[in-house]
């Protein structure tokens, strides 16, 4: 380790926590297509979104021009509890791989929610409180977002109702208890507590649920209860805005040591981590100042970028949400129950979809057994037990580092380690017992799903 | 937060990680009583300990004079993966309590083992590897030590056999899977895999186990298998030596900002965290340079300091280990099954026992429902879900801060936050559901246990 002065962990000072979020849309020449009303197919205006989302968040959602948003003092105070997050040089992984590549990861798991989701949860809870609301509703898949939101709501004394994808609810019994520690109520989705839940259960009896279903239920509860709004942990522009703190800190840490990344890798479900991690780097790329290879990694069992259609679709299975133009597998696509990690969403952030469509980033899909192999190797050499979601990025970072080993190139690879896997031991157990399979959707299944996409004239 | 320049988290630089461990015994005028042979009642010599423990660790165990031991480079390299650990100013807790006290906690949970146990696990694995051993055996209670040792053994490619107290094995199903991720084998104790396990099961059918039982089994397996030694995560002097890194870092961080603590608080099971946290402060106190209030906190259901006898006793239930002079509840004392956290050991570090006996520290016992109340409050305001063990220290830190509120004193309180509670959600669930009780041993039970103490002439 003496060949370099770069420490194993680069910690910024508390005073170096970014004071503004960065909105990558401001630098996009081709903006993401607007959300449209599913009934009229017209662009949604702020007043139509206000019954669903908090006012301030609607403004952030629709603002394509403001590059920087000041982070309110109350949110910065909370950030100080767990930020700055370390940028870690993966010396031990490099050594294990015998690669000349230099690998860094931004570790977002050092907080009780166990992931980066807290960055946006605390922002959304803050704006809900500021608006004088009683509480918020949401969905959660792997449970990271629900946990993060529970913590944030507890901090601001807001009620928190979480609809949790049934398969995760069953695989992660202790997630519920963490949310309960923070005072939230958790319902497995689909449930009988909502009209849309009843409808989905009638149509798909025995379904293990999906983020799309859970979103529909949470939205229904928000719009039908006085003083409640719906909040979402991914996909939306506001979420990518808040998560830009990941990328801004990463860039600040790299700049501090004069490090120039060649490849930036992030896992992609709805895009919250990837969009946040790459934001300032993508900004430089869009402005023509720098060039980077940016790689989105998704599960082969839920491959929206690599096998999806770039089209308008519902964000939820119950078809009560706005239509968004994005890479989608169809709003009633549900990944195989054998799929273990999060990253279960059928669609993708409209911003990331546009950037991918316009060639600013690559995407690749990986099989889950290969992902867990990477996860276990990483745990053993780097000492952090990674979340399955994060391990998608680890897999591709390892693959890129091994390519460098073949070519002898000393590339600098940065990836997002979004969270820890303490609540994913059922999946790890399946992997250890050889019970994990790599089930991916067939072309026929996807074609059938695409056939149901709404017809929208653009 | 603007009234002070002290950051929320004080991170030392990597270069400030202490390079030496501190051995508090070197500054003790009255040394801890030696370990003695249970058959001869004579002081144990190094060669008698060598079949059980690694050579280098035996030297550390018996050395009462050397104040500082250099930390080997290989261990420092591993420490860099998760150290320095932050010293956190509990601004949010102070605000919630409305206390003029200043509260700091040393957070040791930011690593996959979830606790401070890794500090000694990596050292013990290193010395085992250096000696050319095939593997090590150990016991684990709450599972933190077993997880830490699994990680350390995986890093040095050593076999790792863990005997896990049965009640924890059942309450913490996912702990086993984490250890398995790191390649360890885990057996619930008492088990039928050892002679001593069979004997204990015959005498106490249906027992939920204890650390004392698990130690007996692990020792038996170590001494009866070629190339194996036994390692222990607490109680021993060597463990306190390795754990001194907690206190040394804490002191370095406090010194950096000119902070003088008034009260230092740690939870105490066998003494690994407490002994490590207080080491350099106790050194100053022993040398007459400074004075501090030092408080050991133990569970009311396993109260070795506050209700135990200071006497020679076995360290294990099977009575195959050496005798140690310590505060003990008797070697076959088993805490009530309603007791949720770790800190289940019947005895206490001989060093801490001597220091307590000589008046250098205080001890207090707390009920577990009061501990979980403190844990939940702490989680909600400080954002970290604490381990039940750590929450014993939180409880007393809060109580001391509330006393300051009454008196108006601005005392500086430092406590050890040893770990996270992600694998303790069954206990949290019981607490939330009102199913947690405060069962403590009766005087009659303790007297019966004391009657069985071995008769040793000193």
């Amino acid at each position: 380790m003496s060949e370099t002065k770069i420490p194993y962990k680069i910690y910024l000072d508390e005073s170096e926590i970014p004071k503004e979020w960065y909105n990558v849309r401001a630098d996009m020449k081709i903006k993401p297509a607007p959300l449209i009303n599913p009934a009229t197919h017209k662009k949604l205006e702020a007043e139509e979104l206000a019954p669903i989302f908090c006012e301030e968040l609607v403004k952030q959602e629709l603002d394509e021009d403001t590059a920087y948003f000041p982070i309110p003092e109350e949110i910065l105070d909370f950030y100080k509890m767990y930020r700055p997050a370390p940028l870690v040089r993966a010396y031990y992984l490099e050594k294990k791989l015998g690669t000349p590549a230099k690998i860094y990861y931004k570790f977002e798991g050092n907080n009780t929610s166990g992931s980066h989701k807290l960055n946006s949860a605390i922002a959304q809870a803050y704006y809900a409180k500021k608006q004088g609301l009683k509480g918020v509703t949401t969905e959660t898949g792997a449970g990271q977002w629900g946990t993060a939101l529970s913590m944030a709501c507890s901090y601001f004394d807001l009620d928190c109702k979480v609809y949790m994808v049934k398969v995760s609810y069953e695989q992660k019994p202790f997630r519920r208890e963490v949310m309960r520690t923070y005072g939230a109520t958790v319902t497995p989705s689909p449930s009988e507590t909502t009209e849309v839940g009843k409808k989905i259960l009638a149509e798909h009896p025995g379904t293990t649920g999906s983020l799309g279903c859970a979103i529909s239920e949470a939205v229904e509860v928000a719009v039908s209860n006085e003083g409640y709004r719906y909040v979402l942990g991914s996909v939306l522009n506001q979420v990518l805005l808040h998560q830009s703190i990941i990328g801004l800190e990463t860039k600040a840490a790299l700049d501090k040591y004069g490090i120039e990344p060649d490849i930036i890798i992030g896992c992609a479900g709805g895009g919250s981590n990837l969009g946040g991690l790459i934001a300032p780097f993508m900004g430089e790329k869009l402005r023509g100042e720098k060039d980077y290879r940016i790689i989105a990694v998704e599960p082969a069992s839920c491959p929206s970028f690599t096998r999806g259609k770039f089209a308008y679709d519902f964000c939820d299975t119950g078809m009560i949400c706005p239509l968004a133009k994005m890479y989608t597998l169809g709003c009633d696509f549900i990944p195989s129950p054998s799929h273990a990690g999060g990253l279960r969403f059928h669609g993708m952030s409209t911003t990331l979809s546009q950037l991918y469509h316009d060639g600013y980033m690559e995407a690749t899909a990986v099989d889950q057994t290969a992902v867990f192999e990477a996860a276990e190797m990483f745990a053993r050499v780097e000492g952090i037990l990674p979340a399955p979601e994060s391990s998608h990025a680890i897999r591709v970072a390892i693959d890129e580092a091994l390519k460098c080993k073949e070519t002898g190139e000393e590339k600098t690879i940065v990836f997002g380690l979004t969270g820890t896997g303490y609540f994913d031991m059922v999946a790890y157990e399946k992997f250890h017992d050889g019970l994990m399979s790599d089930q991916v959707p067939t072309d026929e299944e996807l074609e059938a799903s695409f056939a149901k996409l709404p017809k929208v004239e653009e």
Side-chain angles (χ1 to χ4, degrees), chain A residues 295-314:
Chain A
I295 308 175
V297 189
E298 58 186 15
S301 49
C302 194
S304 33
F305 268 139
T306 52
R307 296 179 66 198
K309 277 251 187 305
F310 188 43
Y312 266 104
D313 194 10
F314 289 93

Side-chain angles (χ1 to χ4, degrees), chain A residues 26-42:
Chain A
D27 283 308
M28 290 170 71
K29 283 185 201 80
I30 304 173
K31 307 288 183 189
L35 297 174
I36 62 175
N37 183 314
T40 64
H41 287 196
K42 285 195 178 145

Side-chain angles (χ1 to χ4, degrees), chain A residues 164-170 189-190 204-210 213 334-338 344:
Chain A
M164 186 169 185
V165 177
K166 194 178 275 173
V167 64
S168 295
Y169 185 89
E170 286 163 3
S189 168
H204 305 273
T207 176
T208 54
S210 71
C213 301
I334 293 182
S336 150
S338 76
R344 301 176 64 82

Side-chain angles (χ1 to χ4, degrees), chain A residues 263-302:
Chain A
I263 309 175
I264 301 163
I265 300 167
C267 62
S272 68
N273 158 68
L274 182 71
L277 174 68
I278 68 174
F281 304 98
M282 184 60 85
E284 291 181 303
K285 195 165 173 169
L286 288 164
R287 296 188 302 269
E289 297 162 7
K290 290 275 176 66
D291 198 16
Y292 305 103
R293 268 187 75 198
I294 295 176
I295 308 175
V297 189
E298 58 186 15
S301 49
C302 194

Side-chain angles (χ1 to χ4, degrees), chain A residues 169-228:
Chain A
Y169 185 89
E170 286 163 3
Q171 280 184 358
K172 304 188 174 190
F174 296 156
R175 272 279 180 205
R176 175 178 56 88
E177 218 47 53
V178 180
M179 294 188 236
R180 215 171 152 203
T181 300
Y182 289 97
T185 55
V186 190
T187 309
S189 168
S191 76
E192 299 282 351
T193 67
T194 64
E195 292 310 311
V196 69
K198 286 179 202 162
K199 186 160 167 275
I200 291 166
L201 281 171
E203 286 169 17
H204 305 273
T207 176
T208 54
S210 71
L211 272 182
C213 301
I215 292 172
S216 297
E217 294 204 83
V219 170
E220 181 184 317
V221 173
V223 298
S224 52
N225 281 280
E226 184 71 25
Y228 282 78

